[in-house]
Amino acid sequence: VAQTMTTTGNWDNSANWSAGNIGDIITENVSLGNNIDPTIRTGFNYTIGNLTTGNDNNLIIQTGASLTLGASGTPKNFTTNNNTVLTIAGTLTIWGDLIVNNNITWNVTGTVIIKGNVNLGNNASITVGGTGSVQVDGNFTGGNNTILVVNGNVTVGGNLSVGNGSGASGSGSVVVGGSCSDGSSTFC
């Protein structure tokens, strides 16, 4: 079963979804149309299957809200296309992988938990605010020009690898359980 959000607005508003069917159960894969900005509002919590964004989306998860992809023993992936923005003040949990095809911006002041791997395309920009945390249980692989600003906490259970032109800054911590490699940059 697949559900498609077609209009900017609140996730819980059935008028924003094709045929009025909200993506809200683990057996449903969800896709976002191009140029829409869905918001999961405070107090709303959803568990879905795989999630795929269109181009130019901004997924907003407010404080006190959550979005979970999959479950233990049922991994589901999050795949983004061009120019995706993730604004996470609540909680985003991905029981599979985060796969970024091109250009992503993360603004994290809440919690992001990725049980699988992170595979970023080129030009990824990740900002983790002072109260934010990102946990990647697998490997974290970034393309060229990966920019990481950490004033909160980032933990990578596996290896961290980024391409040329990448950089890291901030007053927070990045802990890597495996190795760190950074092409010709000084990221590590």
Side-chain angles (χ1 to χ4, degrees), residues 16-175:
N16 295 328
W17 293 83
S18 177
N21 296 317
I22 296 172
D24 60 356
I25 57 175
I26 195 170
T27 57
E28 295 175 325
N29 294 325
V30 172
S31 63
L32 304 178
N34 293 329
N35 301 304
I36 68 164
D37 302 332
T39 299
I40 299 177
R41 298 184 299 146
T42 300
F44 287 86
N45 304 291
Y46 296 102
T47 299
I48 61 171
N50 296 307
L51 175 60
T52 303
T53 68
N55 297 321
D56 302 304
N57 296 133
N58 181 5
L59 173 61
I60 301 162
I61 302 175
Q62 295 179 340
T63 302
S66 69
L67 178 64
T68 301
L69 281 65
S72 178
T74 310
K76 300 295 181 180
N77 298 325
F78 187 171
T79 303
T80 71
N81 285 298
N82 295 321
N83 304 317
T84 297
V85 177
L86 301 178
T87 304
I88 312 298
T91 303
L92 172 64
T93 304
I94 304 168
W95 281 89
D97 296 336
L98 173 62
I99 303 154
V100 176
N101 289 322
N102 197 20
N103 297 339
I104 190 167
T105 301
W106 293 6
N107 299 305
V108 180
T109 55
T111 302
V112 174
I113 300 168
I114 301 167
K115 295 297 194 176
N117 299 307
V118 172
N119 297 300
L120 304 175
N122 294 328
N123 305 311
S125 174
I126 300 169
T127 300
V128 181
T131 59
S133 69
V134 175
Q135 171 190 321
V136 179
D137 289 355
N139 296 320
F140 182 106
T141 304
N144 293 331
N145 305 312
T146 297
I147 302 300
L148 182 62
V149 178
V150 179
N151 293 309
N153 299 297
V154 174
T155 304
V156 178
N159 300 322
L160 187 148
S161 174
V162 294
N164 296 333
S166 298
S169 64
S171 61
S173 67
V174 178
V175 177

